[in-house]
Amino acid sequence: MPTVAESTNLEDVFHVDILPALPHSAISLLQLSQKEEAGPADFAKPIEADPGLMGQVLRFVNSSYFGFSREIMSVPQAITLVGSRAIVNFALWNAVFSVIPNPKFGPFDLKALWQDSLRRAIFARKMGRVLRLEDSEDLFAGALLQDMAIPLLLKELPTEYEALVEKRAAEGKRLSGLEKEMFGWNHADAAAVLATRWNLPEEFVSLIAQHTEMEQLLELGKPARGAACVALASLLPSCSEEEWHEKDKFQSACERLTGMNIEQLTDCLNEVDEQTAEFAPLLKLPIPEQTIVSFIKTE
């Protein structure tokens, strides 16, 4: 008789029929991001060809998140001011947000997942800047997309995930570890498969695939610092949680990665909370009721 893992091959779960297609504008922007010679005018074309995306991009750059003193009226100007990376990643987020289905699985809330993803993305970028890494915007995208496969997995494997959710609640283990035990793969592997099939840049695929491997990334040292920032973000509390079960693990890993003391970490988390509150309404997401800092201050 086949085991669960044998009967739930990841390639079979993510068969072509269930995979949503990214909008053409997002695909065009991703292709342009791989061309060093592409400039603001090139990136502006697919955005201006999609009126909905164009409006979202202009609202994004004119938000308090950037704090420009005058209104930005054109897409090329927006790209020049905030950079093509930031615009492409914003467009990618909108694209993924629009095509991932809501599985209607038990207590699962799709908006809560995106809310968590946004806060983790902002944190990963902040850590990249603390470490003065060149790819901070890529860290934002990697953290933003790290859990994007979960809704598809819940939709395709509701019986198996009902058992996993119950076991997680009873034993307090990480979902990724329970998935490995049951299937031989986890949602990080699944998201990497999805990213590969969407032809996302290889650096995104790598960041997504490794986000459950915090200890291994820390041991690799300097070459893996970017991926470690994304993995560290995955240890943040969910916006719907009343307790931060992995707080000790997070603080220990953060100290090893950045050398920050608790006061410095608290300052960084304050900034992440503030930026999340500014950014969330742009994506029509609720502002988290409980800040990350509030978990630290309950010690």
Side-chain angles (χ1 to χ4, degrees):
M1 184 174 182
T3 65
V4 174
E6 289 172 341
S7 60
T8 319
N9 182 281
L10 183 53
E11 294 295 328
D12 294 335
V13 175
F14 273 17
H15 52 85
V16 175
D17 294 343
I18 75 156
L19 291 181
L22 285 180
H24 179 72
S25 55
I27 294 172
S28 297
L29 287 169
L30 286 169
Q31 290 172 340
L32 283 169
S33 70
Q34 303 304 298
K35 298 179 180 179
E36 293 184 4
E37 69 276 12
D42 299 303
F43 284 99
K45 288 178 183 177
I47 296 173
E48 291 172 336
D50 183 334
L53 178 59
M54 182 172 69
Q56 289 169 336
V57 166
L58 290 176
R59 282 195 295 273
F60 173 52
V61 297
N62 282 302
S63 69
S64 59
Y65 181 77
F66 289 105
F68 292 121
S69 58
R70 56 190 173 84
E71 186 175 3
I72 310 306
M73 302 295 292
S74 72
V75 174
Q77 184 185 21
I79 296 169
T80 300
L81 289 170
V82 307
S84 60
R85 280 286 191 185
I87 296 297
V88 170
N89 289 342
F90 177 75
L92 180 60
W93 158 265
N94 273 279
V96 173
F97 188 91
S98 69
V99 301
I100 294 293
N102 191 335
K104 307 296 183 184
F105 177 87
F108 176 78
D109 183 345
L110 185 61
K111 280 209 168 185
L113 175 71
W114 295 137
Q115 192 181 32
D116 291 341
S117 299
L118 174 61
R119 187 157 75 174
R120 289 168 182 164
I122 291 172
F123 172 81
R125 178 170 56 193
K126 176 62 180 176
M127 290 298 99
R129 290 176 175 173
V130 166
L131 294 171
R132 299 182 180 179
L133 303 180
E134 294 181 357
D135 58 352
S136 295
E137 286 298 334
D138 287 348
L139 304 185
F140 180 94
L144 196 66
L145 302 177
Q146 62 181 221
D147 289 340
M148 65 178 176
I150 289 179
L152 288 169
L153 292 171
L154 298 180
K155 182 175 181 289
E156 291 301 305
L157 302 170
T159 302
E160 291 85 345
Y161 268 85
E162 183 177 0
L164 285 177
V165 169
E166 291 176 356
K167 192 171 183 180
R168 182 188 185 190
E171 300 180 9
K173 293 183 178 179
R174 295 199 83 190
L175 178 62
S176 57
L178 295 173
E179 290 168 331
K180 280 284 188 181
E181 290 176 7
M182 177 173 282
F183 304 124
W185 48 261
N186 59 31
H187 65 273
D189 301 316
V193 168
L194 181 54
T196 299
R197 293 191 181 177
W198 275 342
N199 293 315
L200 298 192
E202 289 183 13
E203 54 266 32
F204 289 0
V205 177
S206 179
L207 291 171
I208 291 166
Q210 298 178 84
H211 84 263
T212 60
E213 302 172 5
M214 184 80 254
E215 189 59 35
Q216 297 94 312
L217 293 170
L218 288 174
E219 289 177 359
L220 288 172
K222 189 173 182 178
R225 288 187 303 170
C229 290
V230 174
L232 184 62
S234 74
L235 299 178
L236 289 172
S238 170
C239 295
S240 60
E241 288 180 343
E242 295 182 2
E243 292 183 58
W244 187 356
H245 300 289
E246 295 181 298
K247 180 166 64 175
D248 292 342
K249 184 176 180 180
F250 169 87
Q251 290 184 212
S252 174
C254 189
E255 184 177 0
R256 290 173 62 187
L257 178 63
T258 68
M260 288 193 295
N261 58 35
I262 189 64
E263 290 79 14
Q264 293 169 320
L265 174 59
T266 301
D267 288 343
C268 283
L269 294 179
N270 258 321
E271 187 175 334
V272 171
D273 286 329
E274 290 170 1
Q275 291 188 356
T276 301
E278 293 170 354
F279 209 145
L282 295 173
L283 302 172
K284 298 180 180 179
L285 293 173
I287 296 170
E289 293 183 8
Q290 187 166 3
T291 63
I292 312 172
V293 169
S294 66
F295 286 101
I296 299 289
K297 291 182 176 179
T298 56
E299 291 184 330

